Amino acid sequence: MKVTNIVSGSHGVTVGDEDLASPMSIFLKRQVVVANFLPLHTARDKTTGKWCFEWDEDSLLLQMKDGFSPEIEVVYVGSLKVDVDAEEQEEVSQELLEEFKCIPTFLAPHLQRSFYHGFCKRHLWPLFHYMLPISAAQGELFDKSLFGAYISANRIFADKSVEAMNSDEDYIWIHDYHLMLLPILLRKRLSQVKLGFFLHSPFPSSEIYKTLPVRDQLLKGLLNADVIGFQTFDYARHFLSCCSRLLGLDYKFKHGYIGIEYFGRIVSIKIAPVGVHVGRLEKLLKCPTTIAKVQEIKQRFKGKTLFLGIDDMDIFKGMSLKLLAFEFMLQRNENLRGKMVLIQIANPPRTVGKNVMETRNEVISIVERINSVYGSPGYEPVVFMDYSIPYHMKIAYYVMADCCIVNAVRDGMNLVPYEYVVCRQGTEEIDRHRGINMVRCTSTLIVSEFIGCSPSLSGAIKVNPWSLQDVADALYHASELSENVRQLHHEKHYRYVISHHVAYWVQSFLQELERACQGNCNQKYYRLGIGLNFRVVSLSPDFRKLSVDELASSYKRTNRRAIFLDYDGTIMPAGSACKIPSMRLISILNDLCTDPQNTVFIVSGRERTALGEWFCSCTNLGIAAEHGYFIRWNVDSDWESSPPFGVSFEWRNTVERVMKSYTEATDGSFIESKESALVWNYQDADFEFGSCQAKELSSHLESLLANDPVVVRRGHYIVEVIPQGVGKGRAVDKILGQLVANGKPPELIICVGNDRSDEDMFQSINNATKKESSTAAPEVFACTVGQKPSSAKYYIDETSDVLLLLKALVQSQNKIVSP
Ligand SMILES: O=P(O)(O)OC[C@H]1O[C@H](O[C@H]2O[C@H](CO)[C@@H](O)[C@H](O)[C@H]2O)[C@H](O)[C@@H](O)[C@@H]1O
């Protein structure tokens, strides 16, 4: 079968015809492109009744093929825009795979309605374009069953995407807001799958996004991708802000990349604005039908200044506002009447609904009013076309328009300005026909500030679409611009558009996908949670659950044991309102530390007074308080401090003063004043503001304290200033060193903790096994609470399991004593 294929050309983007003869097998790698709709035109042959398919050459999804390297086989997954009867589906699938390398996702008509016209178009589309359903009468209130349809449809896309994969080397690139759950559904099946997601729509501010009842599910869904791409930095910024505000996830800017850590995997955030296929537009410019249409337009609008708008019939395209501004301009400038024409093309609506119909009716009534008030014989101020117009005709209008205006109140990108610029550049032939001796081309753009392409068009007149005066002034100003200015702006825009074409977009996204996947592979993944709470956790390959039996048998086998236990989150549940240890815990600890073969330490960030009081009945229990700044071996011994207490604490006043000013400026933050340290805590403040303040505070303190013997550290919701050389790792080293010095090197070390400060301990005891020593290396059990990335080799699920474990050790100890 002969199909049109897009191949690289002068801009890497010309269109040609090619036989699609290559069998699937010659390709080493596959790129699976998943989108709501396949880039195909489908129609039934009237005589044979058979389905006929052809590529939709105007589809971005097809045009993107230019960006893939020729060794990569591109396979598409998506729906057809027609309903295919169940009995025909098998045959259609076969044909589409063989002829087009397309895998159709057949959604039953009712599912398609609830999924696409329902959840996508009635909920996500308005919300992502900043429209809130304030009441049942205005907008669509959230309908849970439509979300159910969204899940079901995404599941079907997941099935088909898996079918499309050939090997683990294949990449999957998912497109747009219809498929935000696809990353989680695919990751659930294939932990190591290489996944990119690109959002073509805007991502709204967190204040808007957080009104969505299923906000967390969608964010978590997306975070299973390796790369999440956005059109602009603003959309990426809003997404990052939602992740931190709603999920408490931190993000980092490093070496020019943005990454969010999600259960040990780094999800890269890529800003990659989409571009147009210059070659395709150039090909259409040369088309005889386009040239004929150019001549016709030239004749019809001779002597007029032509403004052009090409928009989808959609509520966010600001068509009425544009028309009202045009009307306002004619009203204020009598001299322009009869000279200015606005050609407004409205592409057919992509969905039907109350709002779309209202918008259309409103547009039509404004057009009629303008034409009846300001029109005259032979002069129609607004030419409105709301029927399907072939693409080459639009090209002809682009060619002839003096100014193109995009007045959308919100749009992810909007490629109309770029298409206009390429068409205005024209071709030699077009220039001859449009009758312009064009040594230098011109174009003028008026674009809304609220669309994704706006930042890239520095020479465009930027407007606030809600300000009729602003837009009317822009229309007037555009008609007054000198030829020279119009040339300069055009050249600047043209340079941008031809260098940021669709293939460039694809390559820059894929490069990032490859980079991100390299970083995320070679990890061991654990699969946790069910349904939309599923996540893969990336862990070191030998990380495993601590076996009580294994530990108990080491415990029984050994004679000298050191046991280090963190307090909060390890033996005291994190969510517990009362932080005082229970009688049960005291009793277990007492049992453990009365065994003379055991050295048991609580190693905590808490202060010595609280810990000393709480554990006063555990007479043999050692305590390392304030991350080991204070150490006490048992209830009768003195507290040792290192570095010595009271030395060089002059820094405290400075730190306190600075932290106070941040506390005043950051509602919800507070200072914890410990004997050895000062901690600024923002756990009750706005997370994002707190994080920014924390970043600023730590660099402020670092520069102030450059010559003091302290360290400024950032932790989970905190910034702390502590004396140099203090940390749980050092404390454990010190205790172990003392045991060795006393001639009692431990044969077994057990260390249990849960958070970042405990990682220091794990690293120290891991090193203890490697140190050269005359004594045999101890057996080491470093264990973290919860499955998460850690230096510990073992994990235990919950705090309650830690107590069960300690109890089991006590019991095995009793068995040793009384066999
Ligand atoms: O109506 P849908 O089927 O849900 O599709 C939504 C829109 O998708 C395309 O626009 C989006 O991608 C463009 C290219 O990245 C971008 O310029 C635009 O801002 C996005 O909304 C399509 O071009 C539109 O017609 C669809 O309405």
Side-chain angles (χ1 to χ4, degrees), residues 36-37 60 116 120-121 125 129 176-178 198-202 231 274 312 314 317 350-351 411-415 452 505:
N36 186 26
F37 290 120
L60 190 74
Y116 178 58
C120 292
K121 283 297 186 188
W125 182 255
H129 290 77
D176 224 357
Y177 70 107
H178 320 88
F198 188 84
L199 185 72
H200 291 258
S201 329
Q231 308 263 26
V274 172
D312 284 355
D314 183 87
K317 299 297 188 242
R350 297 171 72 88
T351 187
D411 209 344
M413 188 66 186
N414 202 310
L415 297 173
W505 166 65

Side-chain angles (χ1 to χ4, degrees), residues 65 125 134 148-149 302 305 321 327 484 627 630 712 728 746:
K65 265 194 176 177
W125 182 255
I134 306 272
K302 206 170 187 169
T305 303
L321 295 174
E327 182 180 40
N484 191 35
H627 296 119
F630 292 111
V712 180
K728 290 187 177 182

Side-chain angles (χ1 to χ4, degrees), residues 416-448:
V416 164
Y418 297 166
E419 291 175 350
Y420 167 66
V421 168
V422 175
C423 293
R424 288 294 290 177
Q425 180 68 17
T427 60
E428 261 179 42
E429 205 179 353
I430 277 282
D431 289 349
R432 252 199 333 274
H433 287 285
R434 63 179 159 179
I436 309 167
N437 182 10
M438 281 207 159
V439 184
R440 291 171 69 194
C441 302
T442 63
S443 61
T444 303
L445 277 166
I446 300 175
V447 296
S448 156

Side-chain angles (χ1 to χ4, degrees), residues 292-304:
K293 186 71 193 172
V294 165
Q295 285 170 315
E296 183 202 312
I297 299 169
K298 189 179 137 200
Q299 265 322 104
R300 180 172 166 195
F301 297 103
K302 206 170 187 169
K304 306 277 188 297

Side-chain angles (χ1 to χ4, degrees), residues 253-393:
F253 286 79
K254 201 173 166 195
H255 304 315
Y257 300 104
I258 312 170
I260 306 182
E261 193 184 326
Y262 189 60
F263 294 104
R265 285 173 47 253
I266 303 296
V267 184
S268 170
I269 302 302
K270 174 76 180 164
I271 294 136
V274 172
V276 292
H277 195 292
V278 184
R280 163 84 180 134
L281 292 165
E282 285 173 349
K283 189 185 173 199
L284 285 166
L285 281 170
K286 289 179 191 150
C287 236
T289 40
T290 311
I291 294 168
K293 186 71 193 172
V294 165
Q295 285 170 315
E296 183 202 312
I297 299 169
K298 189 179 137 200
Q299 265 322 104
R300 180 172 166 195
F301 297 103
K302 206 170 187 169
K304 306 277 188 297
T305 303
L306 291 190
F307 290 91
L308 175 68
I310 302 186
D311 303 282
D312 284 355
M313 180 49 83
D314 183 87
I315 52 178
F316 301 108
K317 299 297 188 242
M319 236 186 274
S320 318
L321 295 174
K322 187 194 299 186
L323 289 162
L324 290 174
F326 188 71
E327 182 180 40
F328 189 41
M329 184 202 61
L330 291 179
Q331 187 193 330
R332 281 195 319 186
N333 302 285
E334 215 170 311
N335 58 324
L336 297 181
R337 296 177 200 163
K339 293 183 187 150
M340 303 272 217
V341 174
L342 171 61
I343 297 170
Q344 179 62 55
I345 297 175
N347 301 323
R350 297 171 72 88
T351 187
V352 281
K354 189 172 87 193
N355 291 332
V356 179
M357 292 323 289
E358 279 170 1
T359 304
R360 185 172 178 273
N361 293 340
E362 186 182 42
V363 165
I364 290 173
S365 90
I366 302 171
V367 170
E368 285 171 357
R369 189 175 67 222
I370 298 175
N371 285 344
S372 73
V373 175
Y374 300 105
S376 53
Y379 173 57
E380 197 183 22
V382 182
V383 178
F384 182 59
M385 292 174 256
D386 74 333
Y387 39 86
S388 199
I389 289 176
Y391 198 47
H392 72 265
M393 268 171 68

